[in-house]
Amino acid sequence: GLGGQISLIHDDLKNMPERLGHNKYDVVTCNPPYFKTPKEAEQNMNEHLRIARHEILCTLEDVISVSSKLLKQGGKAALVHRPGRLLEIFELMKAYRIEPKRVQFIYPKQGK
């Protein structure tokens, strides 16, 4: 029953600035693929899981670049990602004029 409040767009992430407009949004939230493209033998057989988990159709740089284009000055980008790529995330954010100000680490289970 949220059809009047939410609209879904089925399109390539890289098309979003042209489709939605530049510098228009206060917040961009994304859960991008976590892993760089694996070798053929290491890829998940399920195409949907492979695309969701690995940088096959978009890269971390694509996500940060598009976020930068969509955000207003002072806007916030919220990414869900693995700590192993934190330095890369910070470097790309700096390159695309997004300054990280806050990091929240989430643990998969209590006691981890």
Side-chain angles (χ1 to χ4, degrees):
L2 297 177
Q5 298 175 28
I6 297 172
S7 61
L8 302 178
I9 300 171
H10 186 87
D11 197 353
D12 190 319
L13 169 81
K14 292 169 245 148
N15 296 334
M16 291 305 106
E18 286 69 35
R19 186 168 185 162
L20 300 174
H22 290 251
N23 307 312
K24 289 181 64 176
Y25 298 91
D26 296 313
V27 178
V28 172
T29 303
C30 189
N31 183 11
Y34 294 146
F35 307 108
K36 293 184 183 270
T37 306
K39 297 174 186 155
E40 194 72 32
E42 298 170 350
Q43 291 190 15
N44 192 303
M45 296 306 292
N46 181 315
E47 177 186 11
H48 301 290
L49 293 178
R50 186 170 57 246
I51 290 169
R53 294 176 181 164
H54 299 281
E55 294 182 342
I56 294 169
L57 297 181
C58 78
T59 65
L60 181 57
E61 185 167 7
D62 293 334
V63 168
I64 293 172
S65 168
V66 167
S67 296
S68 176
K69 291 173 186 174
L70 292 172
L71 287 169
K72 292 178 183 176
Q73 181 71 26
K76 296 178 181 176
L79 302 180
V80 177
H81 218 293
R82 298 176 68 90
R85 295 188 70 188
L86 190 59
L87 182 57
E88 183 180 1
I89 290 167
F90 283 177
E91 288 171 347
L92 286 168
M93 285 182 150
K94 183 176 180 182
Y96 287 97
R97 302 177 354 266
I98 299 175
E99 186 175 325
K101 296 217 178 359
R102 189 171 55 192
V103 175
Q104 175 69 53
F105 292 102
I106 306 295
Y107 299 93
K109 295 179 184 169
Q110 190 171 353
K112 292 272 182 177

